[in-house]
Amino acid sequence: YLLSMTNAKPLRGIETLPYYSRVELSVVPMVNPDGVDLVLGGPPEGYKEEILAINEQKDDFSLWKANIRGVDLNKQYPAKWEYEKERKPDVPSSRDFPGYEPLSEPEAIAMANLVENNNFSLLLAFHTQGEEFYWGYEGLEPPDSKVIADEFERVSGYRSVQYVDSFAGFRDWFIKEYRRPGFTMELGKGVNPLPLSQYEDMYEEMLGVFLASLYL
């Protein structure tokens, strides 16, 4: 996007500088830094015993999805959180534990504050995997969500899914609180963690989504 603007080189035939002039873009490149560090480098000093207990004494953290405290950050938002709590793990886990209360984790609080302190018109959350995306929440999504979803489906080739049996996520909360379009993009296909060999394909698939989010 930045190279396109600075070099006056269109992206897929689209001149980007006019969009930069009128669309404010906020990007959070990593929502779960402690969890990523754990997967890549193992438990930090002072946490090893506690984390191994959560991980059933296994030192393979490749499937770890939670933050360092064993809370799944995408089950942390007050959007049917109580419903998820009843059917998910009730203690810290490598994945799916929604916490003992909504918005208990600093990472989730930071994301909620980011939204509350800005006037975002559209939200995109990027996950893996499935080559599909979700855009509805309890019928509270606005009518233009369908228009945007149709365009995202066209430009990405991903399957558009309005409702999915999963709640308390960032997108769910955004739609519930603000009644604005929100989308969870499930990038790639296979078994998590996906290989880096899929990165270029995922980039090309999401480039169209990114551009559509600017011009719609």
Side-chain angles (χ1 to χ4, degrees):
Y1 183 48
L2 295 175
L3 286 172
S4 169
M5 288 186 292
T6 55
N7 296 333
K9 184 178 179 180
L11 276 178
R12 294 190 180 175
I14 295 175
E15 299 284 349
T16 52
L17 186 57
Y19 293 103
Y20 178 78
S21 301
R22 65 174 185 263
V23 179
E24 182 176 335
L25 177 66
S26 179
V27 178
V28 179
M30 186 187 299
V31 174
N32 186 11
D34 289 341
V36 170
D37 284 346
L38 173 63
V39 171
L40 296 178
E45 289 296 325
Y47 285 86
K48 186 171 183 179
E49 185 175 335
E50 178 182 349
I51 292 172
L52 283 173
I54 294 173
N55 206 39
E56 300 176 341
Q57 301 304 320
K58 294 180 288 190
D59 58 7
D60 179 4
F61 298 97
S62 61
L63 300 181
W64 189 280
K65 183 172 172 280
N67 72 354
I68 201 74
R69 303 202 299 187
V71 177
D72 192 321
L73 297 175
N74 205 44
K75 300 288 182 188
Q76 259 277 284
Y77 295 87
K80 296 188 73 173
W81 179 87
E82 294 80 4
Y83 179 79
E84 288 293 273
K85 181 178 182 295
E86 291 301 315
R87 61 181 191 164
K88 297 300 181 183
D90 58 3
V91 294
S93 175
S94 62
R95 57 174 298 149
D96 296 334
F97 173 57
Y100 295 110
E101 61 183 2
L103 294 178
S104 63
E105 303 306 293
E107 303 93 336
I109 293 169
M111 294 303 295
N113 286 342
L114 176 67
V115 171
E116 289 166 356
N117 292 329
N118 292 274
N119 187 31
F120 296 130
S121 59
L122 175 74
L123 180 141
L124 290 168
F126 296 96
H127 296 243
T128 57
Q129 50 77 32
E131 294 186 354
E132 60 187 18
F133 62 89
Y134 316 126
W135 55 274
Y137 175 77
E138 300 289 278
L140 300 178
E141 64 280 359
D144 54 337
S145 293
K146 177 64 165 61
V147 176
I148 299 170
D150 288 346
E151 183 68 354
F152 283 175
E153 187 174 49
R154 184 187 72 83
V155 299
S156 68
Y158 279 29
R159 185 168 70 101
S160 171
V161 180
Q162 186 170 7
Y163 299 119
V164 63
D165 186 22
S166 179
F167 304 98
F170 185 44
R171 169 190 55 86
D172 302 320
W173 170 79
F174 179 78
I175 295 173
K176 172 178 175 282
E177 291 297 316
Y178 297 95
R179 304 296 201 273
R180 294 177 179 174
F183 302 84
T184 299
M185 318 300 297
E186 295 287 355
L187 280 62
K189 202 156 192 177
V191 177
N192 285 328
L194 296 180
L196 284 174
S197 59
Q198 291 196 30
Y199 178 82
E200 291 298 328
D201 289 339
M202 292 189 294
Y203 170 80
E204 289 298 328
E205 291 156 358
M206 288 301 103
L207 180 58
V209 169
F210 169 72
L211 292 169
S213 72
L214 297 178
Y215 63 66
L216 286 173

